[in-house]
Amino acid sequence: MKKLLIANWKMKPKTLKEAIVLAKLSDDKDIYLAPPYIFLQSIKNVLKKATIGAQDLFQENPPKGGAFTGAVSAAMLKSIGIGFVILGHSERRALGETDVIISKKIAIACESKITPVLCVGESEGIRKKGIEEAMRFVAEQIKNDVSSIPKTVKKMIVAYEPIWAIGTGNNDTPESASQMARHIKKILSDQYSIKAKVLYGGSVNSKNISEFAKESDIDGFLVGGASADPKEFKTIIKIIKSI
Ligand code: 13P
């Protein structure tokens, strides 16, 4: 089965010039790139094969825009052809984004026909209490985050990103990430009749991606640090395409 590969550049690279170089090197069919807002349009203009997405959107989408300084709406993203959006990333949750806000964003993305990529995942403290505790936590996040999702939505992408694995070099094991992927799919299917694709994220690199890719319940990857490293990401693309 083909695996999805999404690059979350986070707040990298530093300049538009570097961003364009990185985008051109990552421009491949079935690759999804999420650059910072400021680079979206310029990168969209140079991409020939990859799909472009955003790292966030604002939780209000009034028909005529609104007084929300610094915010970017779903309508704005849609108007430049943005296809997907990463929502609920733990780095945004750490900045104060609540499940209530995330659920509004998910609903707005769906209504605007922008595919949401919902990020969930437990902290190190929770995981230390065992995988069952982590599964309970993730189930609660999903319940809260999809609470306003339109009933018409039948498909979804969720990224399981345990916080302790993000940017630490301490990735989850393919087995337990796969167990969590099954758990997420079952919740969404049983309780919401949604068929979910589940990605794994957290210190994915060219050395460990093949092991994760062997797991049939892991449908792809949300890659952070390694996706902003041109050589490393090129190798990752090569591996994923050869599967
Ligand atoms: P790293 O790949 O740098 O661990 O980041 C994962 C992530 O947060 C992707 O959204």
Side-chain angles (χ1 to χ4, degrees):
M1 197 205 98
K2 213 161 59 182
K3 306 281 180 181
L4 258 175
L5 185 56
I6 305 184
N8 176 11
W9 289 0
K10 307 191 181 184
M11 202 173 75
K12 287 186 195 162
K14 251 193 283 186
T15 65
L16 175 60
K17 206 166 150 200
E18 289 169 87
I20 288 176
V21 171
L22 181 60
K24 283 184 177 163
L25 285 168
S26 314
D27 191 13
D28 218 304
K29 202 170 150 288
D30 304 319
I31 304 299
Y32 294 74
L33 302 180
Y37 278 146
I38 187 110
F39 302 145
L40 282 176
Q41 181 68 74
S42 309
I43 289 179
K44 184 149 197 308
N45 293 345
V46 300
L47 290 180
K48 292 197 170 68
K49 302 182 202 156
T51 302
I52 190 156
Q55 295 177 17
D56 191 26
L57 54 71
F58 194 58
Q59 64 268 24
E60 304 289 339
N61 195 25
K64 292 188 176 143
F68 300 106
T69 301
V72 174
S73 71
M76 291 170 181
L77 295 173
K78 195 70 195 165
S79 79
I80 63 159
I82 294 305
F84 74 94
V85 60
I86 296 170
L87 293 174
H89 195 285
S90 59
E91 287 154 10
R92 295 212 56 85
R93 293 180 194 258
L95 292 171
E97 195 159 304
T98 61
D99 285 318
V100 172
I101 295 174
I102 296 163
S103 76
K104 280 189 179 182
K105 292 184 175 188
I106 296 274
I108 286 173
C110 293
E111 284 156 11
S112 309
K113 307 264 181 293
I114 299 174
T115 305
V117 178
L118 169 65
C119 302
V120 295
E122 78 287 354
S123 65
E124 188 172 25
I126 292 172
R127 183 58 172 259
K128 277 199 171 137
K129 292 183 190 155
I131 185 84
E132 279 76 26
E133 196 57 31
M135 285 164 102
R136 261 194 294 278
F137 179 83
V138 166
E140 193 61 21
Q141 274 189 323
I142 292 175
K143 187 181 96 193
N144 293 332
D145 295 344
V146 303
S147 60
S148 309
I149 202 165
K151 295 262 178 300
T152 48
V153 174
K154 294 287 163 233
K155 284 186 192 167
M156 209 175 154
I157 302 175
V158 178
Y160 169 58
E161 298 205 306
I163 296 168
W164 48 269
I166 296 176
T168 58
N170 181 24
N171 57 272
D172 199 358
T173 64
E175 296 72 26
S176 74
S178 179
Q179 187 180 357
M180 193 61 94
R182 278 193 297 280
H183 175 60
I184 292 168
K185 287 178 190 191
K186 187 162 167 30
I187 296 168
L188 284 164
S189 158
D190 291 357
Q191 297 175 28
Y192 304 92
S193 306
I194 291 175
K195 194 169 166 14
K197 275 194 195 308
V198 180
L199 317 180
Y200 169 72
S203 296
V204 171
N205 58 40
S206 62
K207 298 203 171 55
N208 61 25
I209 198 165
S210 305
E211 286 306 307
F212 282 99
K214 285 181 191 155
E215 300 288 338
S216 60
D217 282 307
I218 297 177
D219 301 306
F221 304 93
L222 183 54
V223 184
S227 74
D229 174 337
K231 218 169 132 224
E232 177 69 355
F233 197 56
K234 203 82 197 140
T235 312
I236 288 176
I237 294 175
K238 214 166 133 199
I239 295 169
I240 285 295
K241 284 175 79 95
S242 70
I243 290 167

